[in-house]
Amino acid sequence: MFLKLPVLKKIFFILTACFSLGIQAQAIRKYSNEFLNIGVDAASLGMSNSVVATSNDVNSGYWNPAGLTQLKDKQLSLMHASYFANIANYDYGAFAMPLDDKSAVALSIIRFGVDDILDTTELIDSDGQIDYNRINLFSTADYAFTFSYARKTPLKGLSYGTNAKIVRRIIGDFASSWGFGLDLGVQYQKNKWSFGLMIRDITTTFNAWSINEGSVKKIQDASPINGDAQELPETTEITLPKLQFGLARTFKIKSKFSLQTELDFITRLVETNDIISTSSISATPAFGFQFDYNKIIFLRGGVGNFQDITQFDGSTELGFQPNFGVGFNYKGISIDYALTDIGDQSAAIYSNVFSVKLDWSIFKK
């Protein structure tokens, strides 16, 4: 009996995830809770995530909660995407509603998970024989639950919003964690110009891990090489703030056509391989556009995630992520599609993304 290639991919994926915690764990990491940086909503992903200045619907709870103040009615949004040849599933759902003409709230949930992973730590029985009946299945999943509140200020065009989020991460029976963090967003609109600032994890996000030492001991015993040398990971993890600033302008083209453009700068307070990087800060630009006909048919595109990618020979090469998207909106029902990382130009994960958005006005007719 042989394991098929997709199964081997799953085993490799989870082993990498599990042992990355133990081998190079530190309290403050450059990349922590990264599933929260992928993005949501196919329309926004089609624009390469450059939407913090213009986001104005239920998905603003993720991109910039200040945009929730532009809601006219209740809205529901759902999204699904698959990564790593359908091994990992990324799902998102959100609901938002205005409280009055000055404030609004939203609730959202994100799940990024790999299911039906083979646990082969007990594959070999006490007699040294391989017994496939001893293989168990488990899942590894990351969850984020977010409550958003937004309000307009007395200054015309200026609004702000905050997110309170709970992060739950589970690696089968091996480890799990709880985390909590806050985000802050601001938007300002003046004529055809829009400005936005989103600060994620503004107070840092703290994750407290609980490690099942018994399950880890099984991994150590099952490891053919240096199993006892594998140390337990640290039980605390801190996510540093991340800033995204956006500048956008809308152009009216004839009577029924319009063009929306936005340029964003995404900044981390650590050194990374972003195209702009120092020992204490790094940044990468993102540009996106949305062309529409009468707010019914949409064509979107964008480019972002500019990074210096190290090659096998030690040299570096500039990588970037071009995205494409289309959308259709009719009587409060929006269906959007995005193809991310066209041509696999960057080291980022890529996927076909679908999302749907419902405006509560469709139920009032």
Side-chain angles (χ1 to χ4, degrees):
M1 180 177 180
F2 296 94
L3 297 179
K4 295 182 180 180
L5 181 58
V7 175
L8 293 174
K9 286 183 177 180
K10 287 188 177 183
I11 295 174
F12 174 79
F13 181 88
I14 189 57
L15 288 177
T16 302
C18 288
F19 289 115
S20 64
L21 288 173
I23 295 174
Q24 296 182 350
Q26 296 182 12
I28 297 178
R29 302 190 178 109
K30 291 184 180 180
Y31 304 102
S32 175
N33 293 333
E34 279 300 295
F35 75 103
L36 290 177
N37 294 325
I38 296 175
V40 302
D41 175 38
S44 303
L45 293 171
M47 296 177 64
S48 292
N49 300 354
S50 54
V51 295
V52 296
T54 53
S55 182
N56 59 4
D57 58 13
V58 58
N59 301 301
S60 297
Y62 175 90
W63 292 110
N64 189 337
L68 293 170
T69 58
Q70 299 184 53
L71 284 172
K72 302 301 182 183
D73 205 340
K74 300 174 184 177
Q75 285 186 348
L76 174 70
S77 179
L78 300 171
M79 184 200 77
H80 173 75
S82 297
Y83 293 100
F84 308 114
N86 297 321
I87 293 176
N89 291 302
Y90 181 48
D91 298 289
Y92 159 79
F95 174 79
M97 60 180 290
L99 297 178
D100 49 43
D101 60 349
K102 294 184 178 180
S103 59
V105 294
L107 289 172
S108 64
I109 180 173
I110 293 175
R111 181 186 188 271
F112 188 95
V114 180
D115 301 301
D116 297 330
I117 303 166
L118 297 181
D119 179 1
T120 60
T121 56
E122 298 181 355
L123 179 62
I124 301 176
D125 61 23
S126 58
D127 297 325
Q129 301 297 316
I130 295 178
D131 184 358
Y132 291 101
N133 293 322
R134 297 168 62 90
I135 295 177
N136 298 312
L137 300 178
F138 70 98
S139 298
T140 176
D142 297 331
Y143 299 88
F145 307 89
T146 304
F147 172 76
S148 307
Y149 174 79
R151 187 170 181 82
K152 295 179 180 178
T153 69
L155 179 61
K156 184 179 180 181
L158 179 64
S159 59
Y160 68 90
T162 60
N163 288 338
K165 58 189 178 186
I166 297 174
V167 180
R168 175 65 167 164
R169 304 181 66 186
I170 303 172
I171 305 177
D173 294 329
F174 303 100
S176 63
S177 74
W178 288 97
F180 177 78
L182 298 173
D183 304 330
L184 174 66
V186 178
Q187 278 188 349
Y188 178 66
Q189 296 180 343
K190 182 68 173 180
N191 299 325
K192 296 181 181 181
W193 291 92
S194 299
F195 306 87
L197 174 65
M198 178 63 168
I199 308 176
R200 303 186 186 277
D201 308 300
I202 188 170
T203 58
T204 71
T205 293
F206 178 84
N207 286 72
W209 282 90
S210 175
I211 311 298
N212 187 328
E213 296 186 16
S215 296
V216 174
K217 185 63 166 59
K218 291 181 181 180
I219 296 177
Q220 293 174 340
D221 294 340
S223 177
I225 301 175
N226 295 328
D228 293 334
Q230 296 168 1
E231 299 179 355
L232 291 176
E234 295 184 11
T235 57
T236 59
E237 178 182 354
I238 296 176
T239 305
L240 293 175
K242 179 181 179 182
L243 292 74
Q244 184 168 347
F245 172 77
L247 169 67
R249 194 183 193 286
T250 301
F251 301 89
K252 194 70 175 180
I253 305 175
K254 294 186 177 180
S255 59
K256 295 184 178 182
F257 295 90
S258 62
L259 175 66
Q260 173 186 301
T261 60
E262 179 166 337
L263 175 65
D264 284 16
F265 286 92
I266 304 168
T267 304
R268 295 175 182 262
L269 302 182
V270 293
E271 183 179 9
T272 68
N273 60 340
D274 288 340
I275 188 173
I276 303 172
S277 184
T278 68
S279 59
S280 59
I281 192 172
S282 60
T284 182
F287 174 78
F289 71 87
Q290 174 179 273
F291 181 77
D292 74 88
Y293 169 73
N294 204 28
K295 302 300 179 183
I296 297 177
I297 300 175
F298 299 85
L299 175 66
R300 307 179 179 100
V303 61
N305 198 29
F306 292 89
Q307 297 186 343
D308 292 321
I309 302 175
T310 302
Q311 307 300 309
F312 287 109
D313 60 1
S315 62
T316 60
E317 182 177 309
L318 178 63
F320 59 94
Q321 184 174 345
N323 294 353
F324 169 80
V326 293
F328 176 76
N329 175 57
Y330 182 70
K331 293 185 177 180
I333 302 176
S334 299
I335 300 174
D336 297 293
Y337 165 79
L339 174 62
T340 65
D341 196 18
I342 300 172
D344 195 18
Q345 295 295 314
S346 77
I349 53 181
Y350 59 95
S351 179
N352 298 286
V353 184
F354 297 89
S355 67
V356 59
K357 182 177 66 178
L358 302 178
D359 193 291
W360 235 245
S361 61
I362 65 174
F363 301 109
K364 298 179 180 180
K365 299 178 181 180

